[in-house]
Amino acid sequence: MLVVDKVSKQFKDKKQIVKAVDYLSLTIPEGHVVGLIGENGAGKTTLLRMLCTLIAPDEGKITLDGNDIYTHKEQVRKRMGVLFGSETGLYSRLTARENLEYFGSLYGMTSHEIKNQIEMLAKRFGMRKYLDRKVEGFSKGMMQKVAIARTLIHNPDIVLFDEPTTGLDITSSNIFREFILQFKKEGKTIIFSTHIMDEIAQLCDDVIMMHKGQMVYEGGLEELYEQENSRDLNYLFTSKIVRGDLYV
Ligand SMILES: Nc1ncnc2c1ncn2[C@@H]1O[C@H](COP(=O)(O)OP(=O)(O)OP(=O)(O)O)[C@@H](O)[C@H]1O
Ligand SMILES: [Mg+2]
């Protein structure tokens, strides 16, 4: 279980101070698929960057199964797969396979483990045909699939995706969605940000709504529907922001 406890993060932009995440508390239970929504600049990426130990909060604490994630950085990183939007992190001069092998080796996997994992991922994402082609020249969707495979190479039990389907075509988005459902069946925890409400509605157990760094809603999707007597996420999101329901 991931617990965010009264976490704040601000950035100093010349003379201005931006409160990217403002006294945020939330709990992400194991095995849940959690969708993160909010307007541009709401603090989603900043929250995800803190969850995966890329940046530290100014205040507050984040724990994974009771342990502070910053004092157990290495263990936490081994358990997590992380993908930030279109920052694929791939080396264009290497083939897809070579990229995956490289990232696998960074996690200390044996070549046998890497081979099996690549085989499984290539099959799952339909990447076999281009596994041995250089990444430069790949289409956006091909690249994104390899990038997703890269985040999964070490078989993490928690995955964080920041806008994973932005720019993907319908087929690639569907592959991603199927992957989420499959991953969920395996009991993994998935947290992803998106601006596509359908993805939340179709995939998520829980939703986190952020607005200007603060929490507007955190909890079960069904509970939200019941509480607000509507299943229209677009409407719910807008009305909550307009009403300014702040769960702090
Ligand atoms: N490294 C940084 N330096 C300065 N300001 C930053 C930095 N990172 C984030 N911010 C600011 O923090 C706020 C939250 O940004 P963040 O990227 O977390 O939002 P977001 O919800 O991911 O938005 P989007 O939907 O556009 O991706 C914004 O005002 C942003 O300008
Ligand atoms: Mg973002």
Side-chain angles (χ1 to χ4, degrees):
M1 186 156 74
L2 256 171
V3 178
V4 175
D5 187 22
K6 304 184 195 82
V7 160
S8 298
K9 180 79 194 175
Q10 61 181 35
F11 295 101
K12 288 189 190 74
D13 188 7
K14 289 190 182 159
K15 280 181 190 160
Q16 223 187 345
I17 289 178
V18 181
K19 282 188 174 175
V21 170
D22 190 7
Y23 207 70
L24 205 76
S25 295
L26 56 97
T27 301
I28 297 167
E30 205 173 296
H32 279 219
V33 179
V34 182
L36 184 52
I37 54 178
E39 294 174 338
N40 296 131
K44 303 177 299 294
T45 301
T46 306
L47 174 64
L48 290 171
R49 288 174 73 205
M50 289 193 285
L51 286 176
C52 67
T53 76
L54 270 178
I55 54 170
D58 301 323
E59 288 168 51
K61 196 171 177 176
I62 305 177
T63 57
L64 176 58
D65 299 337
N67 298 314
D68 186 287
I69 61 169
Y70 300 95
T71 46
H72 297 81
K73 239 184 204 174
E74 288 311 308
Q75 291 102 306
V76 169
R77 287 185 178 185
K78 274 197 176 163
R79 287 183 59 185
M80 282 186 182
V82 183
L83 179 60
F84 281 93
S86 51
E87 290 169 33
T88 60
L90 300 173
Y91 294 95
S92 55
R93 293 206 189 136
L94 300 181
T95 66
R97 186 194 301 278
E98 285 163 350
N99 267 286
L100 296 174
E101 284 170 348
Y102 171 69
F103 286 103
S105 69
L106 288 184
Y107 286 105
M109 297 168 69
T110 66
S111 52
H112 182 68
E113 285 167 339
I114 293 173
K115 194 167 173 258
N116 286 344
Q117 195 68 357
I118 291 177
E119 187 61 30
M120 185 278 288
L121 291 166
K123 195 172 162 198
R124 181 179 280 184
F125 291 114
M127 301 187 308
R128 275 218 180 95
K129 268 188 243 161
Y130 53 83
L131 205 50
D132 292 302
R133 269 176 55 187
K134 276 192 185 163
V135 164
E136 61 190 359
F138 275 15
S139 75
K140 194 165 186 161
M142 289 157 79
M143 195 94 85
Q144 190 73 345
K145 284 193 228 173
V146 181
I148 292 173
R150 167 184 77 72
T151 66
L152 303 176
I153 190 75
H154 57 302
N155 196 22
D157 53 22
I158 303 167
V159 284
L160 307 180
F161 289 124
D162 194 19
E163 296 193 34
T165 55
T166 300
L168 292 192
D169 68 14
I170 295 168
T171 313
S172 302
S173 297
N174 286 342
I175 288 172
F176 173 78
R177 292 178 194 200
E178 277 164 28
F179 150 74
I180 295 279
L181 294 173
Q182 178 63 36
F183 221 54
K184 179 178 157 65
K185 273 191 206 150
E186 294 167 20
K188 317 254 185 185
T189 309
I190 300 135
I191 307 152
F192 69 97
S193 71
T194 185
H195 292 291
I196 305 166
M197 295 298 176
D198 272 356
E199 283 180 357
I200 303 281
Q202 288 172 12
L203 302 170
C204 295
D205 302 301
D206 302 330
V207 62
I208 296 169
M209 275 187 199
M210 288 180 74
H211 188 53
K212 296 186 177 161
Q214 296 187 320
M215 184 72 76
V216 180
Y217 179 82
E218 180 223 352
L221 196 54
E222 285 300 324
E223 283 86 338
L224 175 67
Y225 292 155
E226 270 173 37
Q227 188 181 306
E228 299 292 324
N229 207 16
S230 165
R231 299 182 76 82
D232 181 344
L233 263 177
N234 255 321
Y235 161 77
L236 289 177
F237 177 69
T238 315
S239 69
K240 274 200 166 290
I241 282 181
V242 171
R243 274 206 324 247
D245 288 7
L246 295 177
Y247 270 50
V248 187

